[in-house]
Amino acid sequence: MAISLKSLPPQDCPRFEAWLAELPADQRSAISGAASTLGPLLESAPYLLGLAQENAAWLVGALSDTADGAFTDIIEAVERAGREATDEDTLSPVLRIGKGRTALLAAMAETGGAWTTAQSTAALSDLADAALDAVLNLLMRQAAERGLLAIPAEQANAANSGLAIFALGKHGGQELNYSSDIDIVAFYDPEKGVLADPSEATKIYSRMVQKLVGLMEDRRAHGYVFRTDLRLRPDPGSTPVAISFDAALAYYESRGQNWERAAWIKARACAGDIGVGHAFLKELAPYVWRKHLDFATIADIQAMKRQINIAKNVGDIRVEGHNVKLGRGGIREIEFFTQTQQLIAGGRDKALRVKPTAHALAALADANWITPKAATELTQTYWYLRAVENRLQMLRDEQTHVMPATSDEVAIIGRLMGQPDLRQFEIGYRAALERVVGYYSELFTEGETLGSGEGNLVFTGNDDDPGTVETLSAMGFAEPSKAIETVRKWHYGSYPATRAAAARAHLTELLPALLSTLSTAGNADEALAKFDNFLSRLPTGVQLFALLRTHPNLRTLLVQLMASAPRMSEAVIHRAHVMDGLIDPAFANDVTHRDVLIAKVDAFLAEARSYEEIIDRARIIGQEQKFLIAAGLLSGTVSASGAGEQFTALAETLLNRLSGSVRAEFERRHGAIAGGKVALLAFGKMASREMTVTSDLDFILLYDAPETESDGDKPLSTNHYYTRLTQRLVAAITAPTAEGVLYEADMRLRPSGNAGPLATSLTGFRAYHRDNAWTWEHLALSRARVIAADGQFAQAVDAAIAEVMSRPRDATKTIEDVVSMRALMAKERPSRHPFDLKLAEGGLVDLEFIAQSAQLVAGATIGLPQALTARVLARLGETGLVPEGARLAEIHELYSTVLQVMSSALVSPFKDEAWTLAFKELLAGLTHYPDFARLELDLIAMRGEVSAAAAGWYEKARGL
């Protein structure tokens, strides 16, 4: 099937026609059939006309084939030469002729509509890959002939070289422009055992790379293949052209810059030993894709863009003389727009780790970082500008990105784009640039000025600037001189967070917006004092200041948290990255959907490369998600019961995943016990899915295993094995690391409490609850829940619990035990504050005791084994056992809401000074009360209702 080409706008083509006239009749006839495309193209592009003249016979064959078929033949010829060439002189012409033919094919296929610009750029990238591999195949055979290799001669090829060639930039994204350099980096794996003398690895591989570059870019007969740039390797001024993987990783992890991270987004193992190339990229991933959202990157890449603008003298939007790559609204702005957001969020979302720009835009839209409209418009504009760039370069094979300086020359580019009307082409080109500028400006603001909408804000010098005093007064600061003194202290680097020059630079640009936000907080001076206190304890400021500059809503939120939720602002002080998720478009999903939360935790933990890293990663994601759930609660996005369920889902997931990692690590040393099974049994708020941000993990480990020894290098007896395993699990949860503590663990509900072994056999568990357990332990068991188990072991544990709970009891004695226990608790753990609704008389404990004691003495009537407290209370109302049951369930919900908000917002909830007006207003709003005073009165009345209902229930229960 012949290649199908659409016509270009007609023009006079004297040079093309003169060439046609010189051709043999058969060639002239074949090429004349495509003259409506080839005439204007070759007449406009001297480079292409020269290629057509050199490859006339090939061109005739290509026109009778499809574009894909003609290109496949070129690639096969290059690959065959790479396998068979005996020396450079044999290989060189094949590569160069292949490049020339690809250039001619891509130009006519793209301008003639047989290929899109994306297909054209992909073909150029594929040719570069094939050429690099062909050269390396020859060089490996030559190395074998010189006795430099430890592998057999028949295995001496690129794929077995131990040397990986990485394509960066557009080559890495398989989107090379028409006359592009290729940016490559070469790293070798010394562990591959390829070389006869491993100590000479750097020398041997560097010589190979130097020869490879020469074969690619030296101008010989038939031209060159690709100009090849090695300057993107680590520290190019002082490192050889090939270095080991370990040296490369050490550089990136200790000295790598943000621009290098951006370069490695598109990195691809394109030639050589692809397997070890993939292994290196996997090792490098944590450097490129940070664990936390990285908003300092925005400012850093913005600065890079400004530097490019200055260095290249990039001006405003125009057509004549505009730089299609680096100018305003150009290709680089689309790439920066895309790559910056990939860098920011790609550490958390693997779906964003894609190389081609168009694919990355689609992924950003799928993840809601940008709108589908933005993705569509930027993708279309990207390929439009890339098409313009290709046409600029195909005229003379120049690596230029600058539009011609005259209208006549611009008209040539327009015609090659299929637009015969210069005016219409200019309108379309300007519109494309303006679209890009609009989106780019939303992400990359030019920074704040040292002023506000109300006047100057200048904090330099020793004397207060009168204009600044006036501006601050107008903004609502009662003591503007004190405000100036505070800000000046920040500028002097008086706090750790402002000592770094970069932090002060961010803060300077943030100041006008920050002061404006503080001025709307009700009391501007108090808000500034709180922010100053916050800043004084913040260990570092660069990331947070960059984040606050970029997201005004977070500035407002942080100021609000300082006023009403000090626990949240404390979390930011200790780990600023916890705010990352608040700007993630998926925030609402994360804090309201259990499956989304679990998937996010699993994806983050899956990135861990070692046992130690999974421990750290569990703390990072745990702290972040606890913060986000609390933020969802305090903002009204998630209900108190929903927050309890999400806090619990987070804890369960982390406990489960850590348990799996601990067991794998433990078994590596001590082996396994044949037939052994383990279950984790949750108690308390974890069991009832009512955890708060400050809850401990209340659980025990049960096992069922024969009395034997484990089968590892260091065997342990069964009891010792599971006890040690439990110790390891508790340590994994509770041990402080550089990333903090995950949870405290409470295992006092194991048989015999703190005096008993850490791990309990199921047989021992049954025996203890049959013969020795106290009533309070059976109360706790009434809502216990298996949260992890091997195989069918959960059913065995559930059966053991059911057997305990269904056992006949002396109702009078059981209730007397409960009443005595409550009296002892009231004496030894009295309420600490009017809002200590857990321990207060008529508080949460009394509601739980009603429900749990009812499960013990009337479980068969209730018919809801292991049910949640609120559901049991409601059921007690339905059965008539506690007539006020439905009302008690409502009170339980309010108590739970108050306690959830208190634990999420306050560091010291039982100190009166913590109960600021702002917090009281927050609490009233979240409990749907018109004011705090009304809430306070109602809670007093409710405690009386609960106490009365408890007394009535205990009286009735004694007679059951």
Side-chain angles (χ1 to χ4, degrees), residues 813-831:
K813 181 180 185 309
T814 298
I815 296 302
E816 289 301 331
D817 286 348
V818 171
V819 171
S820 298
M821 200 173 357
R822 182 65 185 100
L824 181 63
M825 182 180 289
K827 180 181 177 182
E828 294 188 350
R829 296 176 61 196
S831 170

Side-chain angles (χ1 to χ4, degrees), residues 726-872:
T726 307
Q727 288 171 334
R728 290 287 180 85
L729 177 57
V730 171
I733 296 162
T734 62
T737 74
E739 299 292 347
V741 172
L742 185 55
Y743 292 98
E744 297 297 334
D746 186 347
M747 304 192 75
R748 288 174 296 178
L749 283 170
R750 66 186 187 271
S752 301
N754 288 340
L758 274 177
T760 305
S761 70
L762 184 60
T763 302
F765 178 83
R766 286 196 187 100
Y768 178 81
H769 280 282
R770 183 182 63 244
D771 302 327
N772 299 310
W774 296 72
T775 299
W776 68 266
E777 290 175 294
H778 287 168
L779 289 181
L781 203 60
S782 70
R783 57 177 175 176
R785 179 170 62 89
V786 176
I787 56 171
D790 293 334
Q792 304 299 308
F793 192 36
Q795 289 89 320
V797 175
D798 288 341
I801 294 171
E803 191 277 324
V804 173
M805 296 304 297
S806 62
R807 188 178 304 145
R809 284 180 173 79
D810 182 332
T812 300
K813 181 180 185 309
T814 298
I815 296 302
E816 289 301 331
D817 286 348
V818 171
V819 171
S820 298
M821 200 173 357
R822 182 65 185 100
L824 181 63
M825 182 180 289
K827 180 181 177 182
E828 294 188 350
R829 296 176 61 196
S831 170
R832 296 156 287 181
H833 186 271
F835 272 76
D836 188 356
L837 293 180
K838 177 180 179 180
L839 297 176
E841 183 180 347
L844 192 66
V845 165
D846 286 305
L847 289 172
E848 290 173 345
F849 273 28
I850 292 171
Q852 292 168 11
S853 62
Q855 290 281 51
L856 292 184
V857 300
T861 303
I862 296 168
L864 296 172
Q866 313 309 116
L868 308 188
T869 301
R871 183 70 190 90
V872 175

Side-chain angles (χ1 to χ4, degrees), residues 337-412:
F337 176 91
T338 307
Q339 291 171 16
T340 299
Q341 294 181 90
Q342 285 181 278
L343 283 178
I344 288 167
R348 293 153 52 95
D349 187 349
K350 279 189 171 181
L352 299 180
R353 301 180 191 182
V354 292
K355 296 172 177 51
T357 301
H359 296 182
L361 286 166
L364 288 167
D366 288 343
N368 291 323
W369 281 94
I370 62 176
T371 64
K373 181 184 177 186
T376 299
E377 290 191 347
L378 285 173
T379 299
Q380 291 171 348
T381 307
Y382 176 75
W383 286 120
Y384 172 81
L385 295 176
R386 292 298 310 276
V388 171
E389 178 185 49
N390 273 2
R391 284 150 181 80
L392 283 170
Q393 296 183 351
M394 66 178 59
L395 299 182
R396 295 173 182 82
D397 189 28
E398 294 174 332
Q399 195 185 13
T400 181
H401 309 281
V402 179
M403 290 287 276
T406 68
S407 58
D408 287 347
E409 291 175 307
V410 171
I412 293 173

Side-chain angles (χ1 to χ4, degrees), residues 235-476:
D235 196 3
S238 59
T239 56
V241 294
I243 62 175
S244 72
F245 280 12
D246 290 342
L249 286 170
Y251 167 84
Y252 289 120
E253 289 171 356
S254 62
R255 297 166 55 197
Q257 306 294 306
N258 270 334
W259 70 263
E260 290 174 303
R261 291 178 57 212
W264 279 92
I265 280 183
K266 289 178 181 278
R268 177 174 59 86
C270 69
D273 201 325
I274 301 296
V276 292
H278 289 164
F280 177 79
L281 289 175
K282 185 176 181 181
E283 287 293 312
L284 189 66
Y287 159 74
V288 179
W289 308 107
R290 300 290 169 83
K291 290 183 282 193
H292 311 310
L293 292 184
D294 190 2
F295 278 88
T297 300
I298 281 190
D300 207 2
I301 292 183
Q302 179 183 5
M304 287 162 50
K305 181 65 172 67
R306 287 175 181 165
Q307 288 169 0
I308 290 169
N309 289 352
I310 293 166
K312 302 291 184 182
N313 194 25
V314 175
D316 294 330
I317 288 176
R318 61 187 187 278
V319 180
E320 293 173 8
H322 182 262
N323 191 313
V324 69
K325 177 180 179 181
L326 303 177
R328 290 293 301 275
I331 294 164
R332 182 57 56 87
E333 291 193 349
I334 301 176
E335 292 172 337
F336 274 165
F337 176 91
T338 307
Q339 291 171 16
T340 299
Q341 294 181 90
Q342 285 181 278
L343 283 178
I344 288 167
R348 293 153 52 95
D349 187 349
K350 279 189 171 181
L352 299 180
R353 301 180 191 182
V354 292
K355 296 172 177 51
T357 301
H359 296 182
L361 286 166
L364 288 167
D366 288 343
N368 291 323
W369 281 94
I370 62 176
T371 64
K373 181 184 177 186
T376 299
E377 290 191 347
L378 285 173
T379 299
Q380 291 171 348
T381 307
Y382 176 75
W383 286 120
Y384 172 81
L385 295 176
R386 292 298 310 276
V388 171
E389 178 185 49
N390 273 2
R391 284 150 181 80
L392 283 170
Q393 296 183 351
M394 66 178 59
L395 299 182
R396 295 173 182 82
D397 189 28
E398 294 174 332
Q399 195 185 13
T400 181
H401 309 281
V402 179
M403 290 287 276
T406 68
S407 58
D408 287 347
E409 291 175 307
V410 171
I412 293 173
I413 303 301
R415 286 196 298 272
L416 293 181
M417 290 288 290
Q419 176 53 262
D421 187 302
L422 172 61
R423 176 69 179 149
Q424 290 302 312
F425 173 65
E426 289 180 331
I427 289 171
Y429 185 75
R430 284 180 180 273
L433 303 182
E434 285 165 359
R435 256 194 313 276
V436 176
V437 168
Y439 286 114
Y440 185 80
S441 297
E442 291 175 12
L443 183 66
F444 292 96
T445 61
E446 289 302 317
E448 307 284 353
T449 62
L450 291 182
S452 72
E454 301 178 55
N456 285 341
L457 289 172
V458 178
F459 300 95
T460 55
N462 294 320
D463 298 324
D464 293 351
D465 171 60
T468 301
V469 171
E470 184 178 339
T471 300
L472 290 172
S473 296
M475 292 173 77

Side-chain angles (χ1 to χ4, degrees), residues 454-714:
E454 301 178 55
N456 285 341
L457 289 172
V458 178
F459 300 95
T460 55
N462 294 320
D463 298 324
D464 293 351
D465 171 60
T468 301
V469 171
E470 184 178 339
T471 300
L472 290 172
S473 296
M475 292 173 77
F477 288 88
E479 299 182 80
S481 291
K482 188 173 181 181
I484 292 171
E485 180 185 347
T486 299
V487 174
R488 195 176 284 138
K489 180 172 57 179
W490 300 347
H491 281 309
Y492 287 146
S494 301
Y495 298 147
T498 61
R499 282 180 192 148
R504 292 195 299 276
H506 282 307
L507 186 58
T508 297
E509 298 204 37
L510 167 66
L511 261 176
L514 175 64
L515 290 170
S516 178
T517 302
L518 293 169
S519 72
T520 61
N523 184 324
D525 298 272
E526 182 181 338
L528 178 62
K530 285 183 181 294
F531 190 85
D532 181 56
N533 177 265
F534 168 83
L535 204 58
S536 71
R537 293 178 298 120
L538 191 68
T540 180
V542 175
Q543 284 284 347
L544 182 62
F545 298 156
L547 181 64
L548 296 178
R549 277 181 62 196
T550 314
H551 292 276
N553 58 319
L554 291 190
R555 292 198 293 268
T556 303
L557 177 63
L558 185 58
V559 171
Q560 290 172 343
L561 293 179
M562 289 172 190
S564 62
R567 174 177 287 281
M568 299 288 279
S569 59
E570 286 293 314
V572 177
I573 287 172
H574 296 298
R575 291 170 194 89
H577 69 79
V578 294
M579 291 190 80
D580 292 352
L582 291 175
I583 53 83
D584 192 323
F587 166 61
N589 251 357
D590 292 355
V591 299
T592 55
H593 292 84
R594 174 187 172 92
D595 56 339
V596 175
L597 172 66
I598 292 172
K600 180 149 290 212
V601 172
D602 282 343
F604 191 74
L605 295 183
E607 295 271 311
R609 295 176 296 175
S610 66
Y611 175 70
E612 291 73 19
E613 188 176 357
I614 201 167
I615 298 297
D616 274 343
R617 279 183 168 263
R619 281 149 177 75
I620 291 169
I621 194 71
Q623 291 149 1
E624 177 187 289
Q625 293 301 315
K626 280 195 271 188
F627 179 88
L628 293 181
I629 297 165
L633 170 70
L634 298 181
S635 66
T637 303
V638 60
S639 66
S641 60
E645 290 171 4
Q646 290 295 83
F647 282 130
T648 307
L650 175 65
E652 273 186 53
T653 304
L654 289 170
L655 181 57
N656 263 299
R657 305 307 179 261
L658 284 176
S659 175
S661 295
V662 167
R663 288 180 73 178
E665 183 72 9
F666 192 73
E667 288 173 2
R668 195 170 58 80
R669 173 172 293 194
H670 299 292
I673 291 185
K677 296 183 288 290
V678 165
L680 299 178
L681 183 63
F683 291 91
K685 293 195 181 301
M686 189 177 183
S688 60
R689 298 185 177 88
E690 298 173 305
M691 290 181 70
T692 69
V693 73
T694 57
S695 291
D696 296 346
L697 298 192
D698 202 345
F699 73 98
I700 65 172
L701 185 144
L702 296 172
Y703 67 89
D704 186 23
E707 286 299 329
T708 181
E709 280 193 341
S710 61
D711 58 11
D713 292 339
K714 296 187 176 181

Side-chain angles (χ1 to χ4, degrees), residues 20 24-34:
L20 271 186
D26 58 336
Q27 293 183 0
R28 182 167 59 249
S29 173
I31 293 173
S32 294

